[in-house]
Amino acid sequence: MILGIGTDLANIDRISATLDRFGDRFRNRVFTETERRKADTRADVAGTYAKRWAAKEACSKALGTGLRMGISWKDMAVSNLPSGQPVMQVTGWAAERLADMTPPGHEAIIHVTLTDDHPWAQAFVVIEARPRSPVP
């Protein structure tokens, strides 16, 4: 069953200007070390940060809170599987919220997809609850 859906559209030029203006203060406040390492090695640094910004916004919407109620930017983190597929991990208050909204006997799966076409970066997040497999 679907527990939540979120989407966000971010302007890459706006993120680039924010990076230029605030630099590490912005990077360190919003992004995890893993996200910063990934973005800083890409040819399109601002685009990579913009997609992750959009993913965090989309995840907060899928959690049903937006960026309020104690949720932190770093409570939501995007990384990539070896195949390149993006995945979202949640910690802190976001993980607590996810646990609260997941029905008993189910596990929550967070699906995330990212795309960009300059000057736009977009993310969709779907949170699914799947019944847990019985333990043999």
Side-chain angles (χ1 to χ4, degrees):
M1 81 182 74
I2 303 298
L3 298 179
I5 300 172
T7 185
D8 194 67
L9 186 65
N11 185 288
I12 296 169
D13 294 332
R14 180 174 162 252
I15 296 296
S16 180
T18 302
L19 288 166
D20 290 343
R21 182 171 180 201
F22 298 105
D24 285 341
R25 196 168 96 198
F26 172 66
R27 284 181 184 90
N28 294 333
R29 192 187 89 202
V30 175
F31 301 99
T32 65
E33 182 180 335
T34 300
E35 290 171 316
R36 293 189 310 267
R37 239 187 350 260
K38 175 79 169 183
D40 292 341
T41 62
R42 302 298 294 260
D44 183 10
V45 172
T48 302
Y49 278 119
K51 286 186 280 190
R52 278 147 179 76
W53 171 278
K56 291 168 185 275
E57 288 274 7
C59 184
S60 71
K61 293 170 185 173
L63 289 168
T65 64
L67 284 161
R68 58 187 178 90
M69 297 175 55
I71 199 165
S72 166
W73 287 103
K74 289 186 184 180
D75 285 347
M76 302 164 289
V78 178
S79 61
N80 296 85
L81 298 176
S83 65
Q85 176 184 346
V87 292
M88 176 74 69
Q89 298 87 25
V90 293
T91 58
W93 191 91
E96 291 174 23
R97 170 71 180 143
L98 182 61
D100 288 346
M101 62 191 286
T102 304
H106 289 73
E107 63 179 330
I109 312 291
I110 302 175
H111 304 277
V112 60
T113 186
L114 308 172
T115 191
D116 65 290
D117 187 6
H118 196 89
W120 301 107
Q122 187 174 33
F124 286 96
V125 170
V126 175
I127 301 176
E128 172 190 10
R130 288 186 189 162
R132 290 191 188 275
S133 300
V135 178

